[in-house]
Amino acid sequence: MAADQEQEQRRRLLDVASRFPLPSGCRFSYGTAGFRADGATMAPAVCRAGILAALRSVKLAGAAVGIVITASHNPIGDNGVKIADPDGGMMDQQWEPFADALANAPDPDALLQMVLQFVKDEGIPLGGHHTAQVLLGRDTRPTGEYLLDAALQGINAIVGAHAIDMGILTTPQLHWMVWSKNKGTKASESDYFTQLINSFRRMLELLPKDKGGYELAKKLIVDGANGIGGVKLEQMKAELSGLDIIVRNSGKEGEGILNHLCGADFVQKERVTPHGFGPEDVGVRCASLDGDADRLVYFQMSSSSDNKVDLVDGDKILSLFALFIREQLDVINNNGSQVDKSLPARLGIVQTAYANGASTQFLKGLGLEVVFTPTGVKYLHKKALEYDIGIYFEANGHGTVVFSEDFISQLESLSNDLSSQAANSQYHAAMRLMAATQLINQAVGDALSGLLLVEAILQYKRWSFQNWCELYSDLPSRQLKVKVVDRSSIVTTDAETKVSQPSSLQELIDKETANYTQGRCFVRPSGTEDVVRVYAEASTQVEADSLAKSVAHHVERLLG
């Protein structure tokens, strides 16, 4: 970097750090969700995230990087910021320690020295040929516009950086835009809508004409959590032929408060109807998005006498996707027709220890390969990429399907080879899979694209909501939190299913678990607070509660 350019770079960093001083007593930590806190305190962290994103882009030869300003399913007063890497996924974990250090730099001089040292250590060519480009998106929170400005100022503090405000978006839209832009394909919001609408339409056109059975009701009521997902679904729904979508908690003025008594997180945890639903909705298929539309669950009211719901969570969404994809592969590979075509593919299911044991047993019973990772989307996504087709979901409804480039290339080739035999069932199966690769958001979990894929598959299978619910029965479970002095004193292995430290704890867990039919229990330290989380399953709710309580008592005695 030339001397005058270096001076300018130093001046900009000192200037922006002076404009956004660290609030007294604040400590920011970059986790799976990025930085999150009360929205009023977030500006310094968001500004520094802007610096970080610009540096990340320069490091990666000017590839587009993303920033999304959201606190997802958190209350409306909170806000947050996270960075999307060029592949549309989470920022590389190796940069997280620097993210933490930068966000907590105590003064402008400390921030400047930290950046200069990091640039030197990482070999980042500031002032060189690689300028930075950062795409920005935010949700509907009242602090969003103010924090967007802080992010812009942070990005502009890096010489040559270029910020592009993509507007008010769902989190998955921003991730998809970053992914698409770096692939060299169209990446605007209208391109996103067009891709989803067209691929959904293609899937409906490919429905078997001769398949008898249940005719899926076209009516779908969607709880938009009073967030950005409801807004976007309202924009898109008129183009979705074959589906009659009614959006409640849509984010309109006066309809309700973001994530308050509504949204996927609320419905999944409480198992009751969201605000705005009533007895007239009994028996109607319903879905719920979270505030930034990266989580999706389904539900149905079974009785007008209470607000309890039959829930379909991320585990059952995963199971539906796995069944559909496996079925298409089976048609292609075991067709028994004259056409000598096959599509070898390694299909992998990725779960965390929080997945209900009944779902894991169901998937393994189908002969599918099921593997586990630690809790957190970044671990799940990375593992899913090891397969030709990787499917992952957390029970909270966050997940997606990823297809390898090699698999998509083979699928395209097979589709072309079979195109002269359009009536062939292999051709239809290949085309359904092709449409699914376009419909699902492969960059990140996306409630809108996931919802459309669910609806297309239910129509394909001629399944009612009840058919879906009855795939398997969840084992009763219980989660507890135990306050501890130091959560780092507990160390886990085997994707957080076993405790290695303290050494005696796992023996105690095993001993307790052996007392219960279908018992399963694990403990793990929280990533954000000094608590240990206890999860237990058993054949009855009473037994699951008892197992969780017994293990929590051992944790408290050893670590409390």
Side-chain angles (χ1 to χ4, degrees):
M1 188 189 292
D4 56 342
Q5 212 170 19
E6 186 175 344
Q7 279 301 110
E8 174 63 12
Q9 182 60 83
R10 286 170 174 266
R11 185 195 66 75
R12 288 193 193 187
L13 285 167
L14 288 170
D15 182 47
V16 81
S18 300
R19 267 181 272 138
F20 293 97
L22 201 64
S24 176
C26 260
R27 175 80 198 170
F28 296 107
S29 179
Y30 197 98
T32 299
F35 296 121
R36 275 190 200 170
D38 184 307
T41 69
M42 280 296 301
V46 173
C47 171
R48 293 163 192 221
I51 296 171
L52 183 71
L55 292 175
R56 185 89 184 127
S57 177
V58 177
K59 167 75 175 178
L60 299 172
V65 167
I67 282 183
V68 60
I69 296 167
T70 182
S72 188
H73 54 278
N74 282 31
I76 191 168
D78 289 353
N79 217 326
V81 60
K82 58 183 173 181
I83 295 166
D85 253 2
D87 63 358
M90 307 293 183
M91 182 181 70
D92 190 315
Q93 285 174 252
Q94 293 185 345
W95 275 48
E96 288 181 15
F98 177 62
D100 281 1
L102 187 65
N104 295 295
D107 55 61
D109 283 325
L111 183 142
L112 174 63
Q113 294 311 314
M114 199 176 288
V115 170
L116 294 177
Q117 187 61 51
F118 185 74
V119 163
K120 183 180 174 185
D121 292 345
E122 286 286 322
I124 298 172
L126 283 185
H129 298 300
H130 301 314
T131 55
Q133 51 178 335
V134 182
L135 310 188
L136 291 121
R138 63 183 175 93
D139 67 14
T140 54
R141 291 167 191 271
T143 52
E145 192 171 355
Y146 156 68
L147 293 177
L148 178 76
D149 180 63
L152 286 167
Q153 292 192 49
I155 294 162
N156 291 331
I158 299 300
V159 171
H162 177 49
I164 308 167
D165 180 6
M166 305 302 287
I168 297 177
L169 302 169
T170 70
T171 292
Q173 280 183 309
L174 192 278
H175 282 263
W176 180 89
M177 288 169 179
V178 171
W179 181 64
S180 298
K181 191 171 182 64
N182 288 312
K183 281 171 58 186
T185 54
K186 292 178 178 179
S188 71
E189 183 174 32
S190 66
D191 297 319
Y192 169 88
F193 285 139
T194 298
Q195 181 167 315
L196 261 59
I197 292 162
N198 287 348
S199 50
F200 178 69
R201 187 178 295 137
R202 278 198 299 277
M203 288 199 76
L204 295 193
E205 288 168 354
L206 289 161
L207 291 176
K209 300 291 186 281
D210 57 348
K211 202 167 185 176
Y214 176 82
E215 184 73 34
L216 186 74
K218 299 291 188 284
K219 185 178 179 182
L220 173 69
I221 307 175
V222 181
D223 160 31
N226 289 306
I228 186 61
V231 174
K232 300 304 181 184
L233 193 53
E234 283 281 13
Q235 287 176 235
M236 188 170 54
K237 70 178 189 179
E239 301 292 324
L240 296 170
S241 56
L243 197 54
D244 177 20
I245 294 177
I246 298 161
V247 184
R248 304 250 176 93
N249 303 318
S250 65
K252 293 191 186 106
E253 189 73 31
E255 198 171 353
I257 300 168
L258 175 71
N259 293 326
H260 180 62
L261 302 178
C262 60
D265 194 59
F266 173 79
V267 173
Q268 191 249 342
K269 284 190 169 59
E270 303 299 326
R271 302 199 174 217
V272 297
T273 56
H275 170 75
F277 286 69
E280 70 279 5
D281 302 319
V282 170
V284 180
R285 192 172 69 261
C286 303
S288 189
L289 324 176
D290 71 334
D292 68 335
D294 63 1
R295 293 185 182 187
L296 169 71
V297 297
Y298 271 72
F299 66 94
Q300 186 171 280
M301 291 180 68
S302 51
S303 167
S304 58
S305 61
D306 60 37
N307 66 344
K308 297 263 191 301
V309 298
D310 294 324
L311 177 74
V312 167
D313 63 8
D315 292 339
K316 274 205 173 104
I317 293 173
L318 183 156
S319 297
L320 181 71
F321 289 176
L323 277 171
F324 171 77
I325 289 169
R326 223 275 293 273
E327 190 170 326
Q328 306 317 304
L329 290 172
D330 285 349
V331 169
I332 291 167
N333 294 322
N334 307 314
N335 191 272
S337 70
Q338 301 297 312
V339 185
D340 183 24
K341 298 292 177 187
S342 66
L343 186 65
R346 188 172 172 222
L347 171 60
I349 309 299
V350 190
Q351 294 186 310
T352 72
Y354 284 110
N356 193 277
S359 77
T360 307
Q361 288 168 12
F362 171 76
L363 292 161
K364 286 182 175 178
L366 295 173
L368 294 167
E369 182 179 347
V370 183
V371 293
F372 289 85
T373 72
T375 304
V377 173
K378 58 190 174 188
Y379 302 112
L380 289 156
H381 194 92
K382 184 179 179 184
K383 188 68 181 176
L385 291 171
E386 295 178 13
Y387 295 89
D388 295 311
I389 307 170
I391 312 175
Y392 71 86
F393 264 85
E394 293 182 297
N396 63 27
H398 191 142
T400 193
V401 186
V402 291
F403 299 85
S404 73
E405 288 185 15
D406 183 56
F407 174 80
I408 291 175
S409 175
Q410 289 186 57
L411 182 60
E412 286 175 343
S413 177
L414 177 68
S415 302
N416 290 335
D417 289 348
L418 293 169
S419 61
S420 62
Q421 303 171 51
N424 185 286
S425 58
Q426 281 181 302
Y427 175 71
H428 286 155
M431 292 303 289
R432 282 186 207 107
L433 276 182
M434 184 63 74
T437 69
Q438 291 291 308
L439 182 51
I440 198 72
N441 187 338
Q442 293 189 56
V444 73
D446 184 340
L448 298 183
S449 76
L451 180 143
L452 294 180
L453 186 54
V454 164
E455 292 297 316
I457 295 173
L458 289 178
Q459 289 200 38
Y460 164 78
K461 294 189 77 66
R462 296 287 180 104
W463 272 10
S464 66
F465 181 84
Q466 209 55 40
N467 293 143
W468 190 11
C469 274
E470 290 169 359
L471 270 183
Y472 57 82
S473 297
D474 281 330
L475 288 166
S477 64
R478 175 63 63 205
Q479 293 188 46
L480 297 175
K481 292 197 298 187
V482 181
K483 285 192 178 294
V484 294
V485 176
D486 178 14
R487 68 181 186 271
S488 66
S489 60
I490 189 164
V491 180
T492 61
T493 59
D494 293 349
E496 301 178 316
T497 60
K498 300 288 182 188
V499 176
S500 57
Q501 294 288 333
S503 56
S504 60
L505 181 55
Q506 187 58 50
E507 287 178 35
L508 293 166
I509 293 171
D510 291 341
K511 189 175 177 182
E512 294 289 353
T513 304
N515 294 325
Y516 298 92
T517 309
Q518 293 184 286
R520 181 171 76 92
C521 186
F522 68 91
V523 303
R524 57 178 286 268
S526 165
T528 55
E529 51 187 324
D530 272 324
V531 299
V532 171
R533 302 188 188 279
V534 178
Y535 179 91
E537 282 178 357
S539 56
T540 68
Q541 191 61 58
V542 170
E543 289 188 339
D545 291 347
S546 176
L547 176 54
K549 192 174 177 181
S550 299
V551 170
H553 175 72
H554 289 304
V555 172
E556 197 168 31
R557 185 173 56 81
L558 288 172
L559 302 172

